Amino acid sequence: MSVDLPARIAAILHLAPILIDTETGVDGPREMQTRIMLVFDALAPTHEALRYSVELAQRMGARLVLLMLLTDDVAKRVRAGSGPSDRFEDEVEELLAACVEPARKAEVPVEWELRIGDPSSELMKFLAETRPVHTIVWGGDGEAVRRRERISKGHWFARMRDRVELPVVVPMPKT
C-alpha cells in the first residue's frame, strides 16, 4: 500500500478532511462546503453582522448558517404577542426569511435554525450536532461582548467566545 505523503500533508495543512479507504489507502480530499455561522440572540441579527457574514461566505464560497438563540423568557413574550403557537413559528420564519434574503441575492447557500433555551448550552449543542463550522460571526449586541473587563458578569457570548475553538468575528458599525 503506497501513500502519497506530500498530498496527505498538503490536505492536512489545508484542513481538508481525508477519506481513508482501508482497501486502497488515502483516497484524497473530500468535497466539503465551508460553513460560516451567524449567531444572534435577538429576533434579528445586526445589519453589520448580516452584511459581513454574507460577504464572508460569498468570498469563501461558503454556506451561511443562521442560528437564532432565544431564551425561554423571550420566546414566551414573542409567543404571547403572536397569539396561537403556530403564529409564533410563522413570525419567526418571516423574521428569518428577511435575514436569508441578502444571502440569496448574493447567491450564498443558506440554512437556518431556531433554538430556545439557555443560549450557551444551545450553541454548544448545535456545534456538537452539526457539520463543522469554519467561523462564527456574532450578530447580537457587539458592545456587550466587547467589554472583556467585565467578562465574569458580562454577556453569555462574551464568556462563550473563548470556549469555542473557532475564529469569532464581532462586526461593529462603521463610524
Side-chain angles (χ1 to χ4, degrees), residues 103-118:
R104 292 222 169 111
K105 283 183 180 175
E107 298 180 359
V108 171
V110 63
E111 59 191 70
W112 61 269
E113 186 162 338
L114 165 66
R115 296 278 181 117
I116 298 173
D118 174 62

Side-chain angles (χ1 to χ4, degrees), residues 14 31 33 39 60 117 174:
H14 286 83
E31 269 310 306
Q33 188 165 24
V39 179
M60 295 179 69
K174 294 182 180 176

